[in-house]
Amino acid sequence: MPNSPPFRNEADFVEWIQRKGSRRVAGLSLGIGDDAALIKAPPGQELILTTDMSIENVHFDRGFHPPRAIGHRALARSISDIAAMGGTPRYALLSLAVSKSTSREWLSGFFAGLFALARKFSVAIIGGDTARVSGATSIDVILVGVVPDGVAVRRAGAREGDHIFVSGRLGLSALGLRLLATGASGQTPAERTAIRAHLYPQPQCALGKFLSKNRLASAMMDISDGLSTDLKRLCEASGAGAILSGPKIPAPSVSDSSDALDLALHGGEDYQLLFTVPQAKASAIPRRFGSLPLTCIGQMTKHRALRITTIDGSTQPLQSKGFDHFRRA
Amino acid sequence: MPNSPPFRNEADFVEWIQRKGSRRVAGLSLGIGDDAALIKAPPGQELILTTDMSIENVHFDRGFHPPRAIGHRALARSISDIAAMGGTPRYALLSLAVSKSTSREWLSGFFAGLFALARKFSVAIIGGDTARVSGATSIDVILVGVVPDGVAVRRAGAREGDHIFVSGRLGLSALGLRLLATGASGQTPAERTAIRAHLYPQPQCALGKFLSKNRLASAMMDISDGLSTDLKRLCEASGAGAILSGPKIPAPSVSDSSDALDLALHGGEDYQLLFTVPQAKASAIPRRFGSLPLTCIGQMTKHRALRITTIDGSTQPLQSKGFDHFRRA
């Protein structure tokens, strides 16, 4: 009976989540099960609030996204936003509109992925809302983080001459998605790496905190919709432009190098950090942060445009071809 | 072209929301437009967090809910949760998955309703997420409120002998919904009152604060899913039971009195407050709070069951027939 509810009633479902996701954490006065949750902000800290939807057939496809990955990715998106401010994630609320065709097994997998990532980042699930719907399943993860007063890094602080850095390798998630969508199961280690990067992206909280605490980044954001789109947003917020060096951009290893650059420039959902550093501080950025490579890919310019220099030394305008819900439609 | 996006791109849409919904409020460091919002909690206060979904064909029907009412109701649900804790609403985030068939006019109406209520309660819209979807429109409103340390009222505090109170009149919203769903436009003043109660419910923040500040309520929640369902939740959280006096329950004026009692017991979405008061403090509860009637409808019992005495003096078990997403399905 695929249409029978996976739980007896809403209380039963909420209790199940509560049993699995609750934990005692600092500052939490009241968790799941009342009209609202209560938290006490630590003194000397600001609170960071972010919310990210994950919608079936928009952000995920049940055909090739395992439920565990869907749960992981739903929370990873929000943790990445906290990382991009230089903060530490603490408390999550979960709004879950479950399609009537959803099985208890699917929900178990979904929550296993979400709770595993929550545990890894010491995030407590403190509340939420649930509904059953006829249409697509949709998830909204609300995340509260903390950051010491005045330390949060915004998008608007980049200035002419600042060096532009990215963490990790860009375009892996888009490559992994392409492989999954065409039914490829990952034949080579490189393909498996790309698929894993897509299904289980790792938010870069430790790097974000390192940069904010040491006041190294003048601006920061996470790369969720693709470098060309997200860098444009950073430039617009900062009232500046950027010039990138194409050959320096850390692209995936695929046989076609122009395809690799396209993936790195326009592929979204890598959840790596994009940050700018004043020239005087650029030497303080290590080449690796733990095992994570940090790469200088260009510089901020006064001229308010996005440009890219190619391997032959010519400079071209850089189009924003990343993800935009309203433009694509 | 109903399928053309109502906005050029996501940035355009976000900017439009920002222009309409932003306001300078105490404690807000950074609003819409970055990876996340930043707030500073006032000293001596706890933060209240709540999230409520409003989903097309579950919580509203475009056939008879005007967009303005949908926006109002989406925010009212969350404000009511803050009211039920005895707090003051402050900041909202809005996740909006807009159906592709949505017009700019519909969105304008929706936001007009949401922003009008936000202004009334001095709530600032500080962030959110947007997507366009093929299926139903869904809205998730995340609301942050404040409450002085240790003053928040929970569901779990009711004890044997406590008096049970409700604010306002119950069942009006369900009656209004029935009228709207059957195409009735509201012929009589009573019908128009019921329709208004359904479309534009008023969260009872002032009452919630009065009860929490003066430590009058031992337990409190809002009536969103119907008295019989919500009282059961309060009883379960408090480890107690309740006995209600049927004739005392403030029901709508409809010709059939048993229908009126059913509406008051099981009709949801009134967003009135349900609260319990220790016997020694019951005389401190006024009969009216401003223009809002407060009615004692029963008493908490040691026996863990819900019962109701009828007009002929007999006592019957009270079934929970309010709204439950998982049970109904």
Side-chain angles (χ1 to χ4, degrees), chain A residues 152-163 215-221 233-241 274-279 281 300, chain B residues 30 34:
Chain A
V153 186
R154 300 158 191 220
R155 293 184 183 177
R159 297 291 170 261
E160 181 188 355
D162 287 3
H163 290 205
R215 298 180 186 275
L216 293 170
S218 51
M220 182 155 62
M221 65 187 296
R233 290 172 182 155
L234 187 147
C235 286
E236 282 174 355
S238 295
L274 165 69
F275 56 98
T276 59
V277 179
Q279 279 183 287
K281 294 181 177 176
M300 296 298 291
Chain B
L30 180 63
D34 216 297

PDB file of all heavy atoms in Angstrom, chain A residues 152-163 215-221 233-241 274-279 281 300, chain B residues 30 34:
ATOM      1  N   ALA A 152      31.614  38.179  11.259  1.00  0.00           N
ATOM      2  CA  ALA A 152      30.975  37.575  10.085  1.00  0.00           C
ATOM      3  C   ALA A 152      31.461  38.228   8.795  1.00  0.00           C
ATOM      4  O   ALA A 152      31.638  39.444   8.737  1.00  0.00           O
ATOM      5  CB  ALA A 152      29.456  37.698  10.195  1.00  0.00           C
ATOM      6  N   VAL A 153      31.682  37.415   7.774  1.00  0.00           N
ATOM      7  CA  VAL A 153      32.180  37.920   6.490  1.00  0.00           C
ATOM      8  C   VAL A 153      31.018  37.998   5.508  1.00  0.00           C
ATOM      9  O   VAL A 153      30.284  37.027   5.320  1.00  0.00           O
ATOM     10  CB  VAL A 153      33.281  37.002   5.927  1.00  0.00           C
ATOM     11  CG1 VAL A 153      33.877  37.625   4.671  1.00  0.00           C
ATOM     12  CG2 VAL A 153      34.366  36.755   6.969  1.00  0.00           C
ATOM     13  N   ARG A 154      30.865  39.158   4.891  1.00  0.00           N
ATOM     14  CA  ARG A 154      29.739  39.387   3.989  1.00  0.00           C
ATOM     15  C   ARG A 154      30.189  39.330   2.540  1.00  0.00           C
ATOM     16  O   ARG A 154      31.364  39.180   2.244  1.00  0.00           O
ATOM     17  CB  ARG A 154      29.125  40.748   4.317  1.00  0.00           C
ATOM     18  CG  ARG A 154      28.638  40.752   5.748  1.00  0.00           C
ATOM     19  CD  ARG A 154      28.515  42.149   6.334  1.00  0.00           C
ATOM     20  NE  ARG A 154      28.307  42.035   7.773  1.00  0.00           N
ATOM     21  CZ  ARG A 154      27.480  42.778   8.483  1.00  0.00           C
ATOM     22  NH1 ARG A 154      26.810  43.742   7.906  1.00  0.00           N
ATOM     23  NH2 ARG A 154      27.351  42.584   9.761  1.00  0.00           N
ATOM     24  N   ARG A 155      29.236  39.521   1.639  1.00  0.00           N
ATOM     25  CA  ARG A 155      29.568  39.523   0.211  1.00  0.00           C
ATOM     26  C   ARG A 155      30.108  40.867  -0.247  1.00  0.00           C
ATOM     27  O   ARG A 155      30.746  40.958  -1.290  1.00  0.00           O
ATOM     28  CB  ARG A 155      28.308  39.256  -0.622  1.00  0.00           C
ATOM     29  CG  ARG A 155      27.759  37.890  -0.443  1.00  0.00           C
ATOM     30  CD  ARG A 155      26.570  37.713  -1.383  1.00  0.00           C
ATOM     31  NE  ARG A 155      25.974  36.396  -1.165  1.00  0.00           N
ATOM     32  CZ  ARG A 155      24.902  35.957  -1.783  1.00  0.00           C
ATOM     33  NH1 ARG A 155      24.279  36.733  -2.677  1.00  0.00           N
ATOM     34  NH2 ARG A 155      24.431  34.762  -1.541  1.00  0.00           N
ATOM     35  N   ALA A 156      29.810  41.903   0.529  1.00  0.00           N
ATOM     36  CA  ALA A 156      29.966  43.263   0.019  1.00  0.00           C
ATOM     37  C   ALA A 156      31.342  43.869   0.257  1.00  0.00           C
ATOM     38  O   ALA A 156      31.591  45.010  -0.115  1.00  0.00           O
ATOM     39  CB  ALA A 156      28.897  44.161   0.654  1.00  0.00           C
ATOM     40  N   GLY A 157      32.277  43.130   0.861  1.00  0.00           N
ATOM     41  CA  GLY A 157      33.522  43.773   1.289  1.00  0.00           C
ATOM     42  C   GLY A 157      34.685  43.740   0.309  1.00  0.00           C
ATOM     43  O   GLY A 157      35.768  44.257   0.622  1.00  0.00           O
ATOM     44  N   ALA A 158      34.506  43.172  -0.873  1.00  0.00           N
ATOM     45  CA  ALA A 158      35.640  43.036  -1.800  1.00  0.00           C
ATOM     46  C   ALA A 158      35.995  44.374  -2.444  1.00  0.00           C
ATOM     47  O   ALA A 158      35.118  45.162  -2.785  1.00  0.00           O
ATOM     48  CB  ALA A 158      35.314  42.009  -2.880  1.00  0.00           C
ATOM     49  N   ARG A 159      37.299  44.637  -2.585  1.00  0.00           N
ATOM     50  CA  ARG A 159      37.767  45.904  -3.162  1.00  0.00           C
ATOM     51  C   ARG A 159      38.717  45.638  -4.318  1.00  0.00           C
ATOM     52  O   ARG A 159      39.340  44.570  -4.389  1.00  0.00           O
ATOM     53  CB  ARG A 159      38.495  46.733  -2.083  1.00  0.00           C
ATOM     54  CG  ARG A 159      37.626  47.154  -0.917  1.00  0.00           C
ATOM     55  CD  ARG A 159      36.564  48.201  -1.325  1.00  0.00           C
ATOM     56  NE  ARG A 159      35.591  48.430  -0.259  1.00  0.00           N
ATOM     57  CZ  ARG A 159      34.372  47.861  -0.214  1.00  0.00           C
ATOM     58  NH1 ARG A 159      33.968  47.034  -1.169  1.00  0.00           N
ATOM     59  NH2 ARG A 159      33.544  48.131   0.781  1.00  0.00           N
ATOM     60  N   GLU A 160      38.835  46.618  -5.184  1.00  0.00           N
ATOM     61  CA  GLU A 160      39.751  46.556  -6.332  1.00  0.00           C
ATOM     62  C   GLU A 160      41.121  46.052  -5.875  1.00  0.00           C
ATOM     63  O   GLU A 160      41.664  46.550  -4.876  1.00  0.00           O
ATOM     64  CB  GLU A 160      39.887  47.971  -6.927  1.00  0.00           C
ATOM     65  CG  GLU A 160      40.790  48.035  -8.140  1.00  0.00           C
ATOM     66  CD  GLU A 160      41.054  49.501  -8.564  1.00  0.00           C
ATOM     67  OE1 GLU A 160      40.448  50.421  -7.972  1.00  0.00           O
ATOM     68  OE2 GLU A 160      41.866  49.694  -9.490  1.00  0.00           O
ATOM     69  N   GLY A 161      41.651  45.092  -6.586  1.00  0.00           N
ATOM     70  CA  GLY A 161      42.982  44.576  -6.267  1.00  0.00           C
ATOM     71  C   GLY A 161      42.977  43.357  -5.363  1.00  0.00           C
ATOM     72  O   GLY A 161      43.970  42.619  -5.303  1.00  0.00           O
ATOM     73  N   ASP A 162      41.851  43.129  -4.648  1.00  0.00           N
ATOM     74  CA  ASP A 162      41.783  41.937  -3.785  1.00  0.00           C
ATOM     75  C   ASP A 162      41.960  40.671  -4.632  1.00  0.00           C
ATOM     76  O   ASP A 162      41.440  40.585  -5.747  1.00  0.00           O
ATOM     77  CB  ASP A 162      40.427  41.848  -3.062  1.00  0.00           C
ATOM     78  CG  ASP A 162      40.295  42.877  -1.938  1.00  0.00           C
ATOM     79  OD1 ASP A 162      41.233  43.685  -1.755  1.00  0.00           O
ATOM     80  OD2 ASP A 162      39.251  42.877  -1.264  1.00  0.00           O
ATOM     81  N   HIS A 163      42.674  39.717  -4.069  1.00  0.00           N
ATOM     82  CA  HIS A 163      42.840  38.434  -4.751  1.00  0.00           C
ATOM     83  C   HIS A 163      41.581  37.585  -4.548  1.00  0.00           C
ATOM     84  O   HIS A 163      40.974  37.615  -3.475  1.00  0.00           O
ATOM     85  CB  HIS A 163      44.065  37.698  -4.215  1.00  0.00           C
ATOM     86  CG  HIS A 163      45.362  38.342  -4.619  1.00  0.00           C
ATOM     87  ND1 HIS A 163      46.548  37.666  -4.709  1.00  0.00           N
ATOM     88  CD2 HIS A 163      45.643  39.617  -5.000  1.00  0.00           C
ATOM     89  CE1 HIS A 163      47.509  38.490  -5.093  1.00  0.00           C
ATOM     90  NE2 HIS A 163      46.987  39.693  -5.267  1.00  0.00           N
ATOM     91  N   ARG A 215      40.451  37.357  10.195  1.00  0.00           N
ATOM     92  CA  ARG A 215      40.111  38.540   9.394  1.00  0.00           C
ATOM     93  C   ARG A 215      40.907  38.593   8.091  1.00  0.00           C
ATOM     94  O   ARG A 215      41.439  39.643   7.699  1.00  0.00           O
ATOM     95  CB  ARG A 215      40.317  39.820  10.217  1.00  0.00           C
ATOM     96  CG  ARG A 215      39.401  39.847  11.442  1.00  0.00           C
ATOM     97  CD  ARG A 215      39.579  41.100  12.283  1.00  0.00           C
ATOM     98  NE  ARG A 215      38.801  41.049  13.504  1.00  0.00           N
ATOM     99  CZ  ARG A 215      37.506  41.403  13.592  1.00  0.00           C
ATOM    100  NH1 ARG A 215      36.863  41.822  12.533  1.00  0.00           N
ATOM    101  NH2 ARG A 215      36.879  41.322  14.748  1.00  0.00           N
ATOM    102  N   LEU A 216      40.985  37.450   7.418  1.00  0.00           N
ATOM    103  CA  LEU A 216      41.744  37.377   6.170  1.00  0.00           C
ATOM    104  C   LEU A 216      40.878  37.692   4.946  1.00  0.00           C
ATOM    105  O   LEU A 216      41.368  38.218   3.957  1.00  0.00           O
ATOM    106  CB  LEU A 216      42.352  35.974   6.008  1.00  0.00           C
ATOM    107  CG  LEU A 216      43.445  35.631   7.032  1.00  0.00           C
ATOM    108  CD1 LEU A 216      43.815  34.154   6.950  1.00  0.00           C
ATOM    109  CD2 LEU A 216      44.685  36.501   6.780  1.00  0.00           C
ATOM    110  N   ALA A 217      39.581  37.364   5.030  1.00  0.00           N
ATOM    111  CA  ALA A 217      38.714  37.532   3.853  1.00  0.00           C
ATOM    112  C   ALA A 217      37.996  38.875   3.907  1.00  0.00           C
ATOM    113  O   ALA A 217      37.417  39.238   4.926  1.00  0.00           O
ATOM    114  CB  ALA A 217      37.703  36.397   3.792  1.00  0.00           C
ATOM    115  N   SER A 218      38.030  39.614   2.796  1.00  0.00           N
ATOM    116  CA  SER A 218      37.273  40.871   2.721  1.00  0.00           C
ATOM    117  C   SER A 218      35.828  40.609   2.312  1.00  0.00           C
ATOM    118  O   SER A 218      34.928  41.385   2.628  1.00  0.00           O
ATOM    119  CB  SER A 218      37.944  41.843   1.743  1.00  0.00           C
ATOM    120  OG  SER A 218      38.194  41.211   0.494  1.00  0.00           O
ATOM    121  N   ALA A 219      35.601  39.519   1.592  1.00  0.00           N
ATOM    122  CA  ALA A 219      34.245  39.109   1.210  1.00  0.00           C
ATOM    123  C   ALA A 219      34.256  37.593   1.060  1.00  0.00           C
ATOM    124  O   ALA A 219      35.298  37.003   0.763  1.00  0.00           O
ATOM    125  CB  ALA A 219      33.809  39.763  -0.099  1.00  0.00           C
ATOM    126  N   MET A 220      33.104  36.987   1.283  1.00  0.00           N
ATOM    127  CA  MET A 220      33.045  35.521   1.154  1.00  0.00           C
ATOM    128  C   MET A 220      31.622  35.102   0.836  1.00  0.00           C
ATOM    129  O   MET A 220      30.662  35.715   1.289  1.00  0.00           O
ATOM    130  CB  MET A 220      33.531  34.857   2.448  1.00  0.00           C
ATOM    131  CG  MET A 220      33.545  33.345   2.402  1.00  0.00           C
ATOM    132  SD  MET A 220      34.743  32.589   3.551  1.00  0.00           S
ATOM    133  CE  MET A 220      34.133  33.135   5.149  1.00  0.00           C
ATOM    134  N   MET A 221      31.487  34.048   0.050  1.00  0.00           N
ATOM    135  CA  MET A 221      30.192  33.383  -0.140  1.00  0.00           C
ATOM    136  C   MET A 221      30.464  31.949  -0.550  1.00  0.00           C
ATOM    137  O   MET A 221      31.606  31.585  -0.840  1.00  0.00           O
ATOM    138  CB  MET A 221      29.338  34.116  -1.174  1.00  0.00           C
ATOM    139  CG  MET A 221      29.877  34.128  -2.571  1.00  0.00           C
ATOM    140  SD  MET A 221      28.876  35.196  -3.678  1.00  0.00           S
ATOM    141  CE  MET A 221      27.297  34.361  -3.679  1.00  0.00           C
ATOM    142  N   ARG A 233      27.371  37.922  -8.209  1.00  0.00           N
ATOM    143  CA  ARG A 233      26.644  38.429  -7.034  1.00  0.00           C
ATOM    144  C   ARG A 233      27.604  39.108  -6.059  1.00  0.00           C
ATOM    145  O   ARG A 233      27.311  40.169  -5.512  1.00  0.00           O
ATOM    146  CB  ARG A 233      25.919  37.276  -6.327  1.00  0.00           C
ATOM    147  CG  ARG A 233      24.758  36.742  -7.143  1.00  0.00           C
ATOM    148  CD  ARG A 233      24.166  35.478  -6.537  1.00  0.00           C
ATOM    149  NE  ARG A 233      23.087  34.976  -7.396  1.00  0.00           N
ATOM    150  CZ  ARG A 233      22.677  33.714  -7.450  1.00  0.00           C
ATOM    151  NH1 ARG A 233      23.237  32.799  -6.684  1.00  0.00           N
ATOM    152  NH2 ARG A 233      21.701  33.354  -8.257  1.00  0.00           N
ATOM    153  N   LEU A 234      28.762  38.491  -5.845  1.00  0.00           N
ATOM    154  CA  LEU A 234      29.758  39.081  -4.951  1.00  0.00           C
ATOM    155  C   LEU A 234      30.235  40.429  -5.507  1.00  0.00           C
ATOM    156  O   LEU A 234      30.356  41.417  -4.766  1.00  0.00           O
ATOM    157  CB  LEU A 234      30.926  38.106  -4.771  1.00  0.00           C
ATOM    158  CG  LEU A 234      31.999  38.483  -3.744  1.00  0.00           C
ATOM    159  CD1 LEU A 234      32.569  37.223  -3.079  1.00  0.00           C
ATOM    160  CD2 LEU A 234      33.139  39.283  -4.358  1.00  0.00           C
ATOM    161  N   CYS A 235      30.492  40.473  -6.817  1.00  0.00           N
ATOM    162  CA  CYS A 235      30.937  41.722  -7.455  1.00  0.00           C
ATOM    163  C   CYS A 235      29.869  42.803  -7.331  1.00  0.00           C
ATOM    164  O   CYS A 235      30.170  43.954  -7.011  1.00  0.00           O
ATOM    165  CB  CYS A 235      31.258  41.470  -8.931  1.00  0.00           C
ATOM    166  SG  CYS A 235      32.813  40.582  -9.179  1.00  0.00           S
ATOM    167  N   GLU A 236      28.613  42.441  -7.595  1.00  0.00           N
ATOM    168  CA  GLU A 236      27.531  43.429  -7.518  1.00  0.00           C
ATOM    169  C   GLU A 236      27.377  43.960  -6.097  1.00  0.00           C
ATOM    170  O   GLU A 236      27.213  45.159  -5.888  1.00  0.00           O
ATOM    171  CB  GLU A 236      26.218  42.827  -8.026  1.00  0.00           C
ATOM    172  CG  GLU A 236      26.183  42.772  -9.546  1.00  0.00           C
ATOM    173  CD  GLU A 236      24.959  42.044 -10.108  1.00  0.00           C
ATOM    174  OE1 GLU A 236      24.179  41.490  -9.316  1.00  0.00           O
ATOM    175  OE2 GLU A 236      24.824  42.030 -11.347  1.00  0.00           O
ATOM    176  N   ALA A 237      27.444  43.054  -5.113  1.00  0.00           N
ATOM    177  CA  ALA A 237      27.324  43.484  -3.711  1.00  0.00           C
ATOM    178  C   ALA A 237      28.483  44.393  -3.329  1.00  0.00           C
ATOM    179  O   ALA A 237      28.325  45.336  -2.547  1.00  0.00           O
ATOM    180  CB  ALA A 237      27.280  42.266  -2.787  1.00  0.00           C
ATOM    181  N   SER A 238      29.662  44.151  -3.892  1.00  0.00           N
ATOM    182  CA  SER A 238      30.859  44.917  -3.538  1.00  0.00           C
ATOM    183  C   SER A 238      31.049  46.145  -4.423  1.00  0.00           C
ATOM    184  O   SER A 238      31.961  46.939  -4.184  1.00  0.00           O
ATOM    185  CB  SER A 238      32.099  44.013  -3.643  1.00  0.00           C
ATOM    186  OG  SER A 238      32.039  42.964  -2.688  1.00  0.00           O
ATOM    187  N   GLY A 239      30.223  46.278  -5.458  1.00  0.00           N
ATOM    188  CA  GLY A 239      30.384  47.412  -6.379  1.00  0.00           C
ATOM    189  C   GLY A 239      31.694  47.368  -7.134  1.00  0.00           C
ATOM    190  O   GLY A 239      32.349  48.398  -7.331  1.00  0.00           O
ATOM    191  N   ALA A 240      32.095  46.200  -7.566  1.00  0.00           N
ATOM    192  CA  ALA A 240      33.368  46.036  -8.282  1.00  0.00           C
ATOM    193  C   ALA A 240      33.208  44.985  -9.373  1.00  0.00           C
ATOM    194  O   ALA A 240      32.117  44.434  -9.573  1.00  0.00           O
ATOM    195  CB  ALA A 240      34.459  45.617  -7.294  1.00  0.00           C
ATOM    196  N   GLY A 241      34.298  44.726 -10.107  1.00  0.00           N
ATOM    197  CA  GLY A 241      34.310  43.672 -11.110  1.00  0.00           C
ATOM    198  C   GLY A 241      35.395  42.665 -10.790  1.00  0.00           C
ATOM    199  O   GLY A 241      36.033  42.740  -9.736  1.00  0.00           O
ATOM    200  N   LEU A 274      34.096  30.781  -1.975  1.00  0.00           N
ATOM    201  CA  LEU A 274      34.670  31.803  -2.842  1.00  0.00           C
ATOM    202  C   LEU A 274      34.969  32.981  -1.931  1.00  0.00           C
ATOM    203  O   LEU A 274      34.069  33.456  -1.229  1.00  0.00           O
ATOM    204  CB  LEU A 274      33.622  32.189  -3.898  1.00  0.00           C
ATOM    205  CG  LEU A 274      33.829  33.469  -4.695  1.00  0.00           C
ATOM    206  CD1 LEU A 274      35.026  33.316  -5.639  1.00  0.00           C
ATOM    207  CD2 LEU A 274      32.555  33.804  -5.504  1.00  0.00           C
ATOM    208  N   PHE A 275      36.221  33.437  -1.901  1.00  0.00           N
ATOM    209  CA  PHE A 275      36.528  34.549  -0.989  1.00  0.00           C
ATOM    210  C   PHE A 275      37.608  35.445  -1.586  1.00  0.00           C
ATOM    211  O   PHE A 275      38.405  35.027  -2.419  1.00  0.00           O
ATOM    212  CB  PHE A 275      36.930  34.045   0.406  1.00  0.00           C
ATOM    213  CG  PHE A 275      38.082  33.078   0.433  1.00  0.00           C
ATOM    214  CD1 PHE A 275      39.377  33.514   0.730  1.00  0.00           C
ATOM    215  CD2 PHE A 275      37.894  31.732   0.173  1.00  0.00           C
ATOM    216  CE1 PHE A 275      40.443  32.631   0.776  1.00  0.00           C
ATOM    217  CE2 PHE A 275      38.956  30.830   0.206  1.00  0.00           C
ATOM    218  CZ  PHE A 275      40.234  31.276   0.508  1.00  0.00           C
ATOM    219  N   THR A 276      37.571  36.693  -1.143  1.00  0.00           N
ATOM    220  CA  THR A 276      38.542  37.669  -1.621  1.00  0.00           C
ATOM    221  C   THR A 276      39.428  38.081  -0.459  1.00  0.00           C
ATOM    222  O   THR A 276      38.978  38.119   0.697  1.00  0.00           O
ATOM    223  CB  THR A 276      37.834  38.907  -2.197  1.00  0.00           C
ATOM    224  OG1 THR A 276      37.024  39.486  -1.171  1.00  0.00           O
ATOM    225  CG2 THR A 276      36.959  38.542  -3.385  1.00  0.00           C
ATOM    226  N   VAL A 277      40.682  38.362  -0.774  1.00  0.00           N
ATOM    227  CA  VAL A 277      41.676  38.673   0.250  1.00  0.00           C
ATOM    228  C   VAL A 277      42.455  39.920  -0.186  1.00  0.00           C
ATOM    229  O   VAL A 277      42.939  39.971  -1.323  1.00  0.00           O
ATOM    230  CB  VAL A 277      42.646  37.477   0.433  1.00  0.00           C
ATOM    231  CG1 VAL A 277      43.707  37.782   1.482  1.00  0.00           C
ATOM    232  CG2 VAL A 277      41.886  36.205   0.791  1.00  0.00           C
ATOM    233  N   PRO A 278      42.562  40.938   0.683  1.00  0.00           N
ATOM    234  CA  PRO A 278      43.362  42.115   0.329  1.00  0.00           C
ATOM    235  C   PRO A 278      44.791  41.681  -0.014  1.00  0.00           C
ATOM    236  O   PRO A 278      45.329  40.755   0.614  1.00  0.00           O
ATOM    237  CB  PRO A 278      43.323  42.960   1.601  1.00  0.00           C
ATOM    238  CG  PRO A 278      42.097  42.503   2.338  1.00  0.00           C
ATOM    239  CD  PRO A 278      41.928  41.064   1.993  1.00  0.00           C
ATOM    240  N   GLN A 279      45.403  42.378  -0.996  1.00  0.00           N
ATOM    241  CA  GLN A 279      46.739  41.985  -1.466  1.00  0.00           C
ATOM    242  C   GLN A 279      47.740  41.790  -0.327  1.00  0.00           C
ATOM    243  O   GLN A 279      48.522  40.855  -0.326  1.00  0.00           O
ATOM    244  CB  GLN A 279      47.274  43.047  -2.435  1.00  0.00           C
ATOM    245  CG  GLN A 279      46.697  42.875  -3.842  1.00  0.00           C
ATOM    246  CD  GLN A 279      47.289  43.876  -4.810  1.00  0.00           C
ATOM    247  OE1 GLN A 279      46.956  45.056  -4.745  1.00  0.00           O
ATOM    248  NE2 GLN A 279      48.162  43.398  -5.699  1.00  0.00           N
ATOM    249  N   LYS A 281      47.338  40.735   2.537  1.00  0.00           N
ATOM    250  CA  LYS A 281      47.133  39.530   3.344  1.00  0.00           C
ATOM    251  C   LYS A 281      47.203  38.249   2.516  1.00  0.00           C
ATOM    252  O   LYS A 281      47.104  37.141   3.071  1.00  0.00           O
ATOM    253  CB  LYS A 281      45.766  39.588   4.039  1.00  0.00           C
ATOM    254  CG  LYS A 281      45.641  40.698   5.073  1.00  0.00           C
ATOM    255  CD  LYS A 281      44.263  40.681   5.728  1.00  0.00           C
ATOM    256  CE  LYS A 281      44.147  41.748   6.808  1.00  0.00           C
ATOM    257  NZ  LYS A 281      42.801  41.794   7.385  1.00  0.00           N
ATOM    258  N   MET A 300      40.059  41.233  -8.103  1.00  0.00           N
ATOM    259  CA  MET A 300      38.935  42.170  -8.200  1.00  0.00           C
ATOM    260  C   MET A 300      39.405  43.401  -8.977  1.00  0.00           C
ATOM    261  O   MET A 300      40.556  43.832  -8.858  1.00  0.00           O
ATOM    262  CB  MET A 300      38.459  42.587  -6.811  1.00  0.00           C
ATOM    263  CG  MET A 300      37.887  41.456  -5.964  1.00  0.00           C
ATOM    264  SD  MET A 300      36.409  40.651  -6.661  1.00  0.00           S
ATOM    265  CE  MET A 300      35.203  41.982  -6.486  1.00  0.00           C
TER     266      MET A 300
ATOM    267  N   LEU B  30      22.268  42.290   9.550  1.00  0.00           N
ATOM    268  CA  LEU B  30      22.356  42.063   8.112  1.00  0.00           C
ATOM    269  C   LEU B  30      21.089  41.366   7.644  1.00  0.00           C
ATOM    270  O   LEU B  30      20.745  40.304   8.143  1.00  0.00           O
ATOM    271  CB  LEU B  30      23.588  41.185   7.814  1.00  0.00           C
ATOM    272  CG  LEU B  30      23.887  40.826   6.361  1.00  0.00           C
ATOM    273  CD1 LEU B  30      24.194  42.073   5.546  1.00  0.00           C
ATOM    274  CD2 LEU B  30      25.065  39.860   6.292  1.00  0.00           C
ATOM    275  N   ASP B  34      22.475  38.372   1.428  1.00  0.00           N
ATOM    276  CA  ASP B  34      23.767  37.710   1.611  1.00  0.00           C
ATOM    277  C   ASP B  34      23.513  36.202   1.710  1.00  0.00           C
ATOM    278  O   ASP B  34      22.427  35.727   1.407  1.00  0.00           O
ATOM    279  CB  ASP B  34      24.473  38.269   2.860  1.00  0.00           C
ATOM    280  CG  ASP B  34      25.982  38.364   2.656  1.00  0.00           C
ATOM    281  OD1 ASP B  34      26.610  37.318   2.467  1.00  0.00           O
ATOM    282  OD2 ASP B  34      26.516  39.479   2.678  1.00  0.00           O
TER     283      ASP B  34
END
